[in-house]
Amino acid sequence: DVKVTQSSRYLVKRTGEKVFLECVQDMDHENMFWYRQDPGLGLRLIYFSYDVKMKEKGDIPEGYSVSREKKERFSLILESASTNQTSMYLCASSSGQGWEQYFGPGTRLTVT
Amino acid sequence: AQTVTQSQPEMSVQEAETVTLSCTYDTSENNYYLFWYKQPPSRQMILVIRQEAYKQQNATENRFSVNFQKAAKSFSLKISDSQLGDTAMYFCAFIRGGGADGLTFGKGTHLIIQP
């Protein structure tokens, strides 16, 4: 079974802090994704990566950056957290075939 | 760009009934995939079913089946013999073929199975 893990289930940070959300997958998937989920808005793509050190902006990249130094790990970085980044963050991975994405359990981030 | 629309924010049915969740999408692509994901209260997103656009046959996974109407750009999910554990948010999602794009999701339907 594919396993996608995220470093924290719940996280509380202060405005202006630098925040790192970590995601690790164990299935040697090429593609990894970060989404945020907000009530009434569904899931929206922040960034994705199709290879090590490669990254592509999604629909809402502003205020975020990413890092993928190893194939299995994809980090989402909030350079200076703001209250409007309070949300559920979901990481996902997929192989080059089939295109279905497997999701981690999510990190609920609260910025105060 | 593609869009995915789920017109039913919430549905409620009795246990053992059959329920159909609606999804329409808009795209100019010819090669794409469609998915239904389930998100129970635990918040873990779980793949329910997958459909390739080039396949005419509707996908089926046990009690879950889809009605894929490519010309109408419609992709509904039917749950037969519904169970209490089917209570969840259900998201319809689209991805174009041939690239490593992210999924485009609908806003979800909250399905409640009543005992």
Side-chain angles (χ1 to χ4, degrees), chain A residues 1-2 6 17-18 35 37 40-41 45 47 74 78 80 83 85 89 91-92 104 108 111:
Chain A
D1 280 351
V2 177
Q6 295 183 228
E17 279 194 80
K18 190 169 186 175
Y35 297 88
Q37 182 177 17
L41 295 178
L45 180 67
Y47 267 97
F74 191 38
L78 288 65
S80 177
T83 54
Q85 292 178 310
Y89 290 87
C91 174
R108 185 173 292 282
V111 182

Side-chain angles (χ1 to χ4, degrees), chain A residues 9 35 37 48 98-99 101 103, chain B residues 33 37 39 42 44 100 103:
Chain A
R9 198 69 197 265
Y35 297 88
Q37 182 177 17
F48 65 99
W99 309 113
Q101 295 180 15
F103 284 80
Chain B
Y33 299 80
Y37 280 88
Q39 188 179 43
S42 66
Q44 176 72 54
L103 290 162

Side-chain angles (χ1 to χ4, degrees), chain A residues 8-20:
Chain A
S8 305
R9 198 69 197 265
Y10 299 95
L11 206 54
V12 179
K13 294 293 181 180
R14 294 201 178 273
T15 301
E17 279 194 80
K18 190 169 186 175
V19 181
F20 292 86

Side-chain angles (χ1 to χ4, degrees), chain B residues 6-54:
Chain B
Q6 295 178 248
S7 58
Q8 305 149 313
E10 185 168 291
M11 298 183 71
S12 180
V13 299
Q14 296 294 123
E15 193 175 7
E17 289 184 348
T18 294
V19 59
T20 299
L21 308 183
S22 300
C23 173
T24 58
Y25 59 95
D26 189 24
T27 184
S28 58
E29 302 282 342
N30 196 47
N31 178 23
Y32 54 88
Y33 299 80
L34 295 161
F35 306 90
W36 279 98
Y37 280 88
K38 167 185 176 181
Q39 188 179 43
S42 66
R43 308 295 282 181
Q44 176 72 54
M45 290 286 280
I46 302 165
L47 178 67
V48 175
I49 202 164
R50 167 180 176 269
Q51 175 79 44
E52 297 91 336
Y54 61 86

Side-chain angles (χ1 to χ4, degrees), chain A residues 38-102:
Chain A
D38 301 288
L41 295 178
L43 284 86
R44 294 177 291 167
L45 180 67
I46 305 171
Y47 267 97
F48 65 99
S49 169
Y50 53 88
D51 201 353
V52 176
K53 296 192 185 295
M54 304 301 291
K55 60 185 180 184
E56 293 285 343
K57 292 180 180 179
D59 299 319
I60 51 164
E62 297 79 16
Y64 304 94
S65 62
V66 290
S67 172
R68 193 166 181 203
E69 296 296 318
K70 293 185 177 181
K71 190 175 186 179
E72 67 271 18
R73 187 180 296 270
F74 191 38
S75 303
L76 180 69
I77 303 158
L78 288 65
E79 295 289 343
S80 177
S82 64
T83 54
N84 62 12
Q85 292 178 310
T86 290
S87 186
M88 170 71 81
Y89 290 87
L90 293 166
C91 174
S93 71
S94 71
S95 68
Q97 301 173 10
W99 309 113
E100 58 260 42
Q101 295 180 15
Y102 298 89

Side-chain angles (χ1 to χ4, degrees), chain B residues 36-100:
Chain B
W36 279 98
Y37 280 88
K38 167 185 176 181
Q39 188 179 43
S42 66
R43 308 295 282 181
Q44 176 72 54
M45 290 286 280
I46 302 165
L47 178 67
V48 175
I49 202 164
R50 167 180 176 269
Q51 175 79 44
E52 297 91 336
Y54 61 86
K55 287 189 177 178
Q56 291 187 329
Q57 186 173 4
N58 290 323
T60 299
E61 287 288 341
N62 300 314
R63 297 182 295 107
F64 299 87
S65 62
V66 298
N67 183 5
F68 174 48
Q69 301 289 329
K70 190 173 183 179
K73 296 181 180 173
S74 170
F75 182 60
S76 60
L77 174 70
K78 185 172 84 171
I79 305 173
S80 303
D81 186 27
S82 57
Q83 301 173 359
L84 297 179
D86 295 334
T87 293
M89 284 292 292
Y90 286 81
F91 293 95
C92 179
F94 170 105
I95 194 167
R96 67 182 180 92

